[in-house]
Short mmCIF file of all heavy atoms in Angstrom, two decimals:
data_model
loop_
_atom_site.label_atom_id
_atom_site.label_comp_id
_atom_site.label_asym_id
_atom_site.label_seq_id
_atom_site.Cartn_x
_atom_site.Cartn_y
_atom_site.Cartn_z
N LYS A 1125 -135.54 -14.11 126.34
CA LYS A 1125 -136.81 -13.57 126.83
C LYS A 1125 -137.00 -13.76 128.34
O LYS A 1125 -137.32 -12.80 129.04
CB LYS A 1125 -137.96 -14.21 126.06
CG LYS A 1125 -139.32 -13.62 126.39
CD LYS A 1125 -140.37 -14.15 125.46
CE LYS A 1125 -140.27 -15.64 125.25
NZ LYS A 1125 -140.37 -16.41 126.50
N THR A 1126 -136.77 -14.97 128.81
CA THR A 1126 -136.99 -15.23 130.23
C THR A 1126 -135.99 -14.45 131.09
O THR A 1126 -136.36 -13.83 132.09
CB THR A 1126 -136.91 -16.75 130.51
OG1 THR A 1126 -137.87 -17.40 129.67
CG2 THR A 1126 -137.22 -17.07 131.95
N ALA A 1148 -145.47 -16.86 134.76
CA ALA A 1148 -144.89 -17.94 133.95
C ALA A 1148 -145.94 -18.49 132.99
O ALA A 1148 -146.71 -19.39 133.33
CB ALA A 1148 -144.37 -19.04 134.87
N ASP A 1150 -145.06 -19.45 129.76
CA ASP A 1150 -144.43 -20.31 128.75
C ASP A 1150 -144.55 -21.74 129.24
O ASP A 1150 -143.69 -22.23 129.98
CB ASP A 1150 -142.96 -19.91 128.55
CG ASP A 1150 -142.28 -20.78 127.48
OD1 ASP A 1150 -142.93 -21.71 126.97
OD2 ASP A 1150 -141.11 -20.52 127.16
N ILE A 1151 -145.64 -22.40 128.84
CA ILE A 1151 -145.89 -23.74 129.37
C ILE A 1151 -145.32 -24.83 128.48
O ILE A 1151 -145.45 -26.01 128.75
CB ILE A 1151 -147.42 -23.98 129.54
CG1 ILE A 1151 -148.12 -23.86 128.19
CG2 ILE A 1151 -148.01 -23.00 130.55
CD1 ILE A 1151 -149.56 -24.36 128.22
N TYR A 1152 -144.67 -24.44 127.39
CA TYR A 1152 -144.21 -25.46 126.43
C TYR A 1152 -142.76 -25.87 126.62
O TYR A 1152 -142.40 -27.02 126.53
CB TYR A 1152 -144.43 -24.96 124.99
CG TYR A 1152 -145.85 -24.51 124.79
CD1 TYR A 1152 -146.17 -23.16 124.79
CD2 TYR A 1152 -146.87 -25.44 124.65
CE1 TYR A 1152 -147.48 -22.73 124.64
CE2 TYR A 1152 -148.18 -25.03 124.49
CZ TYR A 1152 -148.48 -23.67 124.49
OH TYR A 1152 -149.77 -23.27 124.35
N ARG A 1153 -141.89 -24.87 126.86
CA ARG A 1153 -140.50 -25.22 127.08
C ARG A 1153 -140.40 -25.79 128.49
O ARG A 1153 -140.75 -25.11 129.46
CB ARG A 1153 -139.60 -23.98 126.93
CG ARG A 1153 -138.12 -24.29 127.04
CD ARG A 1153 -137.27 -23.17 126.47
NE ARG A 1153 -137.37 -21.94 127.24
CZ ARG A 1153 -136.49 -21.57 128.16
NH1 ARG A 1153 -135.47 -22.36 128.45
NH2 ARG A 1153 -136.62 -20.44 128.79
N PRO A 1154 -139.93 -27.04 128.61
CA PRO A 1154 -140.00 -27.75 129.89
C PRO A 1154 -139.44 -26.96 131.08
O PRO A 1154 -140.04 -26.94 132.14
CB PRO A 1154 -139.17 -29.01 129.63
CG PRO A 1154 -139.19 -29.20 128.14
CD PRO A 1154 -139.33 -27.83 127.55
N ALA A 1155 -138.30 -26.28 130.89
CA ALA A 1155 -137.67 -25.67 132.05
C ALA A 1155 -138.04 -24.20 132.27
O ALA A 1155 -137.59 -23.57 133.21
CB ALA A 1155 -136.15 -25.79 131.93
N ALA A 1156 -138.92 -23.67 131.40
CA ALA A 1156 -139.16 -22.22 131.44
C ALA A 1156 -139.77 -21.74 132.76
O ALA A 1156 -139.35 -20.72 133.31
CB ALA A 1156 -140.04 -21.81 130.27
N ILE A 1157 -140.75 -22.51 133.25
CA ILE A 1157 -141.44 -22.10 134.48
C ILE A 1157 -140.45 -22.10 135.63
O ILE A 1157 -140.35 -21.13 136.40
CB ILE A 1157 -142.63 -23.04 134.79
CG1 ILE A 1157 -143.66 -22.94 133.64
CG2 ILE A 1157 -143.27 -22.70 136.12
CD1 ILE A 1157 -144.83 -23.89 133.77
N GLN A 1158 -139.68 -23.17 135.69
CA GLN A 1158 -138.70 -23.29 136.76
C GLN A 1158 -137.64 -22.20 136.67
O GLN A 1158 -137.22 -21.65 137.68
CB GLN A 1158 -138.05 -24.67 136.66
CG GLN A 1158 -137.52 -25.14 137.98
CD GLN A 1158 -136.63 -26.36 137.78
OE1 GLN A 1158 -136.62 -26.98 136.70
NE2 GLN A 1158 -135.88 -26.69 138.80
N GLN A 1159 -137.23 -21.88 135.46
CA GLN A 1159 -136.21 -20.84 135.24
C GLN A 1159 -136.71 -19.50 135.79
O GLN A 1159 -135.98 -18.78 136.47
CB GLN A 1159 -135.93 -20.71 133.74
CG GLN A 1159 -134.73 -19.83 133.41
CD GLN A 1159 -134.59 -19.63 131.89
OE1 GLN A 1159 -135.19 -20.35 131.09
NE2 GLN A 1159 -133.81 -18.65 131.49
N LEU A 1160 -137.99 -19.21 135.54
CA LEU A 1160 -138.55 -17.96 136.02
C LEU A 1160 -138.68 -17.98 137.55
O LEU A 1160 -138.40 -16.97 138.22
CB LEU A 1160 -139.93 -17.72 135.37
CG LEU A 1160 -140.41 -16.27 135.42
CD1 LEU A 1160 -139.51 -15.36 134.59
CD2 LEU A 1160 -141.85 -16.16 134.91
N GLU A 1161 -139.07 -19.14 138.08
CA GLU A 1161 -139.19 -19.24 139.54
C GLU A 1161 -137.84 -19.05 140.22
O GLU A 1161 -137.73 -18.41 141.26
CB GLU A 1161 -139.82 -20.59 139.93
CG GLU A 1161 -141.34 -20.52 139.76
CD GLU A 1161 -142.06 -21.83 140.03
OE1 GLU A 1161 -141.43 -22.89 139.87
OE2 GLU A 1161 -143.25 -21.76 140.38
N ASP A 1202 -144.32 -13.65 130.89
CA ASP A 1202 -143.33 -14.35 130.06
C ASP A 1202 -144.07 -15.35 129.19
O ASP A 1202 -144.48 -16.40 129.66
CB ASP A 1202 -142.31 -15.06 130.98
CG ASP A 1202 -141.18 -15.70 130.19
OD1 ASP A 1202 -140.91 -15.27 129.06
OD2 ASP A 1202 -140.57 -16.65 130.72
#
Side-chain angles (χ1 to χ4, degrees):
K1125 186 171 45 58
T1126 303
D1150 181 356
I1151 60 168
Y1152 308 102
R1153 184 162 67 97
I1157 298 176
Q1158 206 192 346
Q1159 190 185 345
L1160 199 65
E1161 280 176 334
D1202 185 24

